[in-house]
Amino acid sequence: MEIEDRGAAPEILRPCRNILTMEGHTVYFQCKVAGVPLPKVTWYKDDVEVRECGNVTFEESCVDDRTVLVTMVIMNVRMGDHGCYTCHAVNASGEAVCHAYLDVQGAKR
């Protein structure tokens, strides 16, 4: 007898980490998330949704049928990028979040 696969709320398997960087560098916020079905991930900066644009891109890589590795890439970091970033994973069974801070230091003169 085959057991039907039930949904599972998202779970953060590897949370994103705080980053300290200099202006002009590229940073990668990465989070490993599991859930059934695979969760939809949205990124936020200081509680405002981050959208893909010229210097911000998103990447997703399926690890298996329950796990995804999600990455937010911020290129040419500016002082205004400093703040709290949130990875918010949601599916029909629930949600999970993790937070990380980006600290940007100016160029030394």
Side-chain angles (χ1 to χ4, degrees), residues 16-17 19-30 43-46 48-59 70-86 100-104:
C16 40
R17 297 184 179 181
I19 298 173
L20 171 63
T21 192
M22 300 290 291
E23 277 187 297
H25 288 200
T26 297
V27 297
Y28 301 84
F29 282 104
Q30 196 169 70
W43 292 91
Y44 295 87
K45 175 189 179 266
D46 299 327
V48 175
E49 185 175 346
V50 177
R51 301 214 181 257
E52 200 163 49
C53 62
N55 73 320
V56 178
T57 59
F58 303 106
E59 300 170 2
V70 294
T71 306
M72 178 177 58
V73 181
I74 306 173
M75 297 168 279
N76 194 24
V77 170
R78 299 178 301 267
M79 293 299 286
D81 294 321
H82 169 90
C84 179
Y85 288 82
T86 302
Y101 291 90
L102 175 60
D103 187 5
V104 181

